[in-house]
Amino acid sequence: MKNLYTVDEIAAVFRELGLDAEILPDEPDCDTRIHSNTNGIAWQIAMTGDGPFHLGIRARVPMWVRGDPFRWANEWNRHHWSQAFAAIDPDTNRPVASGRTYMVGIESTLFFGSGVTPEYVVGFIDWWTDEVKALSEVPEVTFYEELPQ
């Protein structure tokens, strides 16, 4: 059992599962990230804590939804382990909007601190790709083909 993983070890899990794994260069005030794509939907893993050995991973996918973003997120949350949330503009304290669509994010976190086996990490990322695949079947959602930097 391991307590911490490097970004290269997590990227290797992606590749083991047949996923793309683009490790992004470190930026100031930004977690180390790995970008991937499932069913044409761009998503990423952010490595939490300072490297090279990280405390956990946070999987996330941003998207745009038609209709009330709070209702959409609540409905998703009733049926899934991942958490959906409406993105809020800090200047207006209102949902981030573009026309009649609203930005929503879905994420889930895996902390390594209590000890996580490599097989558990594989299972988490495999489960996450199933969550992303479920999103591809939702008609009122628009995704990024590539995530904005």
Side-chain angles (χ1 to χ4, degrees), residues 12-33:
V13 170
F14 278 54
R15 294 181 187 108
E16 179 182 322
L17 291 169
L19 301 169
D20 293 332
E22 178 190 357
I23 300 173
L24 298 179
D26 287 339
E27 297 177 15
D29 300 322
C30 187
D31 292 329
T32 301
R33 295 164 292 150

Side-chain angles (χ1 to χ4, degrees), residues 40-54:
I41 300 170
W43 57 275
Q44 69 179 359
I45 293 278
M47 307 295 295
T48 62
D50 292 332
F53 297 98
H54 297 275

Side-chain angles (χ1 to χ4, degrees), residues 1-147:
M1 185 161 338
K2 290 181 72 170
N3 287 334
L4 304 172
Y5 292 85
T6 67
V7 67
D8 291 324
E9 289 173 316
I10 299 301
V13 170
F14 278 54
R15 294 181 187 108
E16 179 182 322
L17 291 169
L19 301 169
D20 293 332
E22 178 190 357
I23 300 173
L24 298 179
D26 287 339
E27 297 177 15
D29 300 322
C30 187
D31 292 329
T32 301
R33 295 164 292 150
I34 304 171
H35 278 208
S36 195
N37 194 300
T38 301
N39 287 9
I41 300 170
W43 57 275
Q44 69 179 359
I45 293 278
M47 307 295 295
T48 62
D50 292 332
F53 297 98
H54 297 275
L55 301 174
I57 55 178
R58 180 176 302 111
R60 59 179 103 167
V61 59
M63 68 198 88
W64 296 91
V65 300
R66 291 185 293 281
D68 183 331
F70 300 109
R71 279 196 179 133
W72 192 95
N74 286 339
E75 185 64 24
W76 177 270
N77 292 340
R78 274 196 286 253
H79 303 284
H80 297 271
W81 284 102
S82 58
Q83 300 86 39
F85 58 91
I88 303 297
D89 182 330
D91 295 330
T92 64
N93 205 32
R94 300 183 55 77
V96 175
S98 176
R100 292 179 171 223
T101 61
Y102 298 89
M103 182 176 270
V104 170
I106 295 189
E107 68 180 26
S108 191
T109 302
L110 174 62
F111 293 107
F112 304 144
S114 61
V116 174
T117 65
E119 294 80 13
Y120 195 88
V121 175
V122 169
F124 175 84
I125 294 172
D126 191 42
W127 163 80
W128 174 254
T129 59
D130 286 344
E131 290 288 271
V132 174
K133 288 174 188 171
L135 284 168
S136 69
E137 299 171 9
V138 179
E140 67 271 11
V141 177
T142 304
F143 304 97
Y144 289 99
E145 289 183 25
E146 287 190 33
L147 294 175

